[in-house]
């Protein structure tokens, strides 16, 4: 009589041996049978695997409390600390005075009289910059060319006994030189200003123009340098704001653009670091004065 949990026993069944072989449990392999392999009944021609195969102890894995189904990483096993050379550490260490290496130019202490009138009392002044001298290239070239051309023309007309035309040429030269002087003065009074709250551009001699943008409204900032700008160290800053109308967007020919970029970005994202550096510099200055 067959088993109630399976088909009736049939001695002539051709698949009986295969079913018995497939359903027979595989014995666990002992430590002397090899690394996770052994021969078992019905498997004389091939290896059998234990439950712990592939989960042996090794660097980076725990050897206790393991079920054989999950790997447990040991955070301290096999860890090698990074190798940092002395040259790499030299740029990170503080100097003899205890101050870390600077990434920006020293901050100015006080605003000029031209700029101070546009700052309110609770605003922290960070610096002001005139445009690069390349901003004067066009008027200076015009002045030099006018000097040579009108000088030659005045000499030629003087030889022709045409006094009225000579006078006109000289007056024209004075007019060109006056225009060049005006451009130089306008360049001198043109300032880019940074505070802890905003960026500003102040320019104009007779008609004064003041444009500003709060730092909290600056959504993107970049600077561009042409090959000439990289050689002479100047660039153009572009400020993007969330508003549609922008009083201040593009500032051309600013000097030291990389240093200025770091200064503005630090003021936007790390104002506490700026305040800490200013306080440390003030304490060092007082200590030097006391010494």
């Amino acid at each position: 009589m067959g088993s109630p949990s399976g088909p009736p026993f049939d001695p002539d069944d051709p698949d009986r041996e295969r079913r018995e072989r497939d359903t027979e449990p595989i014995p666990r392999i002992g430590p002397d049978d090899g690394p996770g392999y052994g021969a078992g009944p019905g498997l004389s021609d091939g290896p059998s695997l234990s439950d712990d195969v592939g989960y042996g102890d090794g660097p980076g894995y725990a050897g206790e409390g393991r079920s054989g189904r999950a790997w447990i990483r040991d955070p301290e096993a096999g860890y090698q600390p990074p190798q940092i050379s002395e040259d790499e550490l030299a740029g990170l260490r503080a100097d003899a005075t205890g101050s870390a290496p600077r990434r920006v130019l020293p901050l100015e202490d006080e605003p000029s009289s031209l700029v101070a009138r546009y700052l309110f009392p609770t605003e922290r002044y960070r610096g002001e910059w005139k445009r690069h001298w390349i901003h004067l290239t066009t008027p200076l070239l015009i002045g030099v060319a006018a000097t040579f051309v009108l000088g030659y023309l005045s000499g030629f007309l003087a030889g022709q006994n045409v006094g009225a035309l000579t006078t006109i040429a000289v007056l024209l030269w004075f007019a060109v030189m006056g225009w060049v002087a005006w451009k130089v003065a306008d360049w001198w009074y043109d300032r880019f200003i940074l505070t802890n709250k905003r960026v500003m551009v102040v320019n104009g001699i007779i008609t004064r123009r003041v444009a500003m943008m709060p730092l909290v409204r600056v959504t993107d900032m970049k600077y561009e340098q042409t090959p000439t700008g990289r050689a002479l160290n100047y660039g153009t800053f572009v400020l993007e704001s969330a508003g549609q109308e922008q009083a201040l967007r593009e500032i051309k020919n600013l000097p030291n653009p990389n240093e200025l970029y770091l200064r503005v970005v630090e003021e936007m994202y790390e104002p506490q670091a700026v305040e800490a550096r200013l306080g440390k510099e003030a304490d060092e200055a007082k200590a030097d004065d006391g010494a």
Side-chain angles (χ1 to χ4, degrees), residues 264-283:
V264 177
V265 170
E266 186 182 31
E267 195 63 52
M268 291 171 58
Y269 297 107
E270 296 290 342
Q272 296 85 358
V274 180
E275 294 292 343
R277 185 170 68 249
L278 285 175
K280 185 174 183 179
E281 291 176 355
D283 293 341

Side-chain angles (χ1 to χ4, degrees), residues 73-93:
R73 182 177 297 275
D74 186 355
E76 297 183 357
Y79 173 75
Q80 296 295 332
Q83 301 297 326
I84 303 177
S85 65
E86 288 297 325
D87 293 338
E88 293 174 326
L89 291 174
L92 302 176
R93 294 194 178 110

